[in-house]
């Protein structure tokens, strides 16, 4: 019984030490953390489209099949200089980095507060339809616990408030 208690205590101390090390690393690291992952090479737009989501449930896209409830999110209705409006909204959100901004397209990275996980978020204007297509995907892991969908809906809300006023 005493040996089991010592073993459990040793395991608990080991886990606590590992967590403290990760927390210290995250707090002291500027820029990329070990959880940032590598920037994907398939981003950008080709033939008027964004890269499709992988099958994992950590990506949403307005260009996904609307029947795919796990990945589909509605595009954002915007007219005029839509990318300029999106840029302002993105810049108003914490822990964002603009990576690429060009006419009709914006790519930004969003970092999680605690561990520095990076999500890649793209916006592609479709002036003919008066919408901006979106794609938001986690770089690492399989699940995102709805973070990418929530982010797009938060951006949609920011943009709608600015349009109204």
């Amino acid at each position: 019984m005493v040996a089991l208690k010592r073993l459990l205590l040793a395991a608990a101390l080991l886990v606590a030490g590992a967590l403290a090390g990760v927390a210290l690393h995250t707090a002291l690291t500027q820029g990329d953390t070990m959880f940032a992952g590598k920037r994907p090479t398939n981003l950008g737009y080709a033939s008027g489209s964004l890269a499709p989501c992988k099958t994992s449930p950590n990506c949403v896209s307005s260009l996904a099949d609307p029947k795919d409830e796990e990945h589909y999110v509605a595009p954002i209705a915007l007219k005029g200089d839509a990318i300029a409006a999106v840029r302002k909204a993105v810049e108003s959100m914490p822990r964002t980095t603009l990576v690429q901004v060009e006419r009709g397209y914006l790519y930004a990275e969003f970092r999680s507060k605690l561990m520095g996980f990076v999500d890649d978020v793209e916006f592609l204007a479709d002036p003919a339809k008066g919408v901006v297509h979106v794609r938001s995907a986690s770089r690492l892991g399989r699940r995102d616990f709805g973070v990418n969908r929530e982010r797009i809906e938060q951006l949609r809300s920011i943009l709608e408030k600015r349009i109204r006023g």
Side-chain angles (χ1 to χ4, degrees), residues 50-72:
L50 300 171
C53 287
K54 295 178 186 173
T55 57
S56 59
N58 61 0
C59 175
V60 294
S61 173
S62 61
L63 294 168
D65 183 344
K67 295 175 196 163
D68 180 357
E69 293 179 9
E70 187 169 58
H71 295 107
Y72 179 77

Side-chain angles (χ1 to χ4, degrees), residues 106-125:
L106 186 144
Y107 165 36
E109 295 173 338
F110 287 74
R111 292 180 187 279
S112 68
K113 187 174 183 177
L114 180 61
M115 304 298 270
F117 287 100
V118 176
D119 294 338
D120 298 290
V121 184
E122 297 178 282
F123 303 88
L124 180 63

Side-chain angles (χ1 to χ4, degrees), residues 10-79:
L13 288 173
L14 183 63
V15 169
L19 290 174
V22 168
L24 182 63
H25 168 79
T26 303
L28 297 177
T29 303
Q30 296 295 321
D32 288 343
T33 69
M34 65 179 131
F35 302 110
K38 292 183 180 176
R39 186 174 287 157
T41 58
N42 67 330
L43 299 183
Y45 57 97
S47 303
S49 190
L50 300 171
C53 287
K54 295 178 186 173
T55 57
S56 59
N58 61 0
C59 175
V60 294
S61 173
S62 61
L63 294 168
D65 183 344
K67 295 175 196 163
D68 180 357
E69 293 179 9
E70 187 169 58
H71 295 107
Y72 179 77
V73 63
I76 300 172
L78 282 176
K79 296 182 183 194

